[in-house]
Amino acid sequence: DTGVSQNPRHKITKRGQNVTFRCDPISEHNRLYWYRQTLGQGPEFLTYFQNEAQLEKSRLLSDRFSAERPKGSFSTLEIQRTEQGDSAMYLCASSSEQDNYGYTFGSGTRLTVV
Amino acid sequence: DQQVKQNSPSLSVQEGRISILNCDYTNSMFDYFLWYKKYPAEGPTFLISISSIKDKNEDGRFTVFLNKSAKHLSLHIVPSQPGDSAVYFCAASANGGTSYGKLTFGQGTILTVHP
């Protein structure tokens, strides 16, 4: 297992377009998290899943954002009708209930909305 | 509402000396605290954590101190090495003494260790 994988690494899109990001967690991890990080700030929580169930969503996750984790494996984060304010690094992380050593983060997807 | 604050945007230290990174929090429900390190173009990596029932946790060159009454924690790196140069994030959770679920991060401190 090579860790948490995120694709694409970079995405440039025009305002108003829809984008979708994918995250493949560490296979034995049942929890998956999405965070957003803007320049000069720490990661901000968006949502997290335990298996396929979405347990918590931030108020940052407007109705233009939707996340899924079908079958409790990979996850997708979709942003509809992108706005320039959506430009950020989108980070995915996973963890297991068997350890308490924090998340394992992926390298992120950098979104630029032009 | 910034519940976790790292008030020093940057810190510069000489190799071999001690690095002290500070973090303050406002939410008294936080009961588990973590430090992450981030290199450019990579995701944050877990460094060390501490439960609110402890006031110190040590792992090699890294020690985290927690002062609950002051709602303050610090990360000590001794001795500092050039490879420690990175952005350090403090994070906190209110999940029953675990890191599961939502973490609230500080803004980060850029540490530069000079040879």
Side-chain angles (χ1 to χ4, degrees):
Chain A
D1 198 338
T2 56
V4 178
S5 176
Q6 290 189 247
N7 289 288
R9 291 295 305 274
H10 304 274
K11 178 70 177 179
I12 300 174
T13 191
K14 291 184 178 179
R15 190 174 52 185
Q17 297 293 305
N18 300 342
V19 293
T20 299
F21 311 139
R22 176 178 170 125
C23 172
D24 289 273
I26 292 173
S27 57
E28 60 266 30
H29 285 180
N30 64 338
R31 293 197 175 212
L32 186 148
Y33 312 83
W34 285 99
Y35 281 77
R36 181 175 71 184
Q37 185 179 13
T38 54
L39 195 64
Q41 299 297 316
E44 294 177 289
F45 173 79
L46 293 178
T47 187
Y48 88 96
F49 294 83
Q50 178 166 310
N51 300 313
E52 66 274 14
Q54 190 171 18
L55 296 188
E56 188 174 348
K57 288 171 58 173
S58 165
R59 54 186 166 81
L60 292 175
L61 215 65
S62 75
D63 56 4
R64 298 186 297 106
F65 288 70
S66 62
E68 294 183 344
R69 192 183 182 197
K71 303 178 182 177
S73 56
F74 71 92
S75 176
T76 58
L77 177 69
E78 180 184 16
I79 309 174
Q80 295 182 329
R81 305 181 303 282
T82 53
E83 302 172 355
Q84 285 190 320
D86 298 330
S87 296
M89 175 73 81
Y90 290 84
L91 293 163
C92 176
S94 67
S95 72
S96 166
E97 289 184 53
Q98 277 68 51
D99 65 67
N100 198 25
Y101 300 109
Y103 307 159
T104 301
F105 277 93
S107 297
T109 294
R110 179 164 296 285
L111 173 66
T112 303
V113 182
V114 297
Chain B
D1 177 26
Q2 191 73 32
Q3 297 186 61
V4 178
K5 297 181 183 180
Q6 295 176 255
N7 292 317
S8 298
S10 63
L11 176 67
S12 182
V13 172
Q14 204 69 28
E15 180 179 8
R17 307 295 286 266
I18 184 172
S19 296
I20 300 176
L21 296 102
N22 294 302
C23 177
D24 296 293
Y25 63 96
T26 57
N27 189 341
S28 58
M29 297 300 292
F30 288 147
D31 55 12
Y32 199 81
F33 304 89
L34 307 93
W35 284 93
Y36 283 82
K37 179 170 71 174
K38 185 182 184 305
Y39 293 119
E42 296 182 12
T45 55
F46 171 76
L47 197 56
I48 192 169
S49 63
I50 187 167
S51 166
S52 59
I53 62 173
K54 296 184 176 181
D55 55 17
K56 177 183 174 181
N57 189 27
E58 191 172 353
D59 183 3
R61 296 185 298 113
F62 303 91
T63 303
V64 56
F65 296 92
L66 175 62
N67 182 335
K68 281 194 299 182
S69 60
K71 293 190 175 65
H72 176 84
L73 65 156
S74 60
L75 174 68
H76 292 210
I77 306 174
V78 183
S80 301
Q81 300 173 354
D84 296 329
S85 297
V87 181
Y88 288 78
F89 292 102
C90 168
S93 76
N95 300 311
T98 73
S99 65
Y100 312 144
K102 173 184 175 182
L103 291 182
T104 302
F105 284 82
Q107 310 95 307
T109 296
I110 301 170
L111 173 65
T112 304
V113 181
H114 298 283

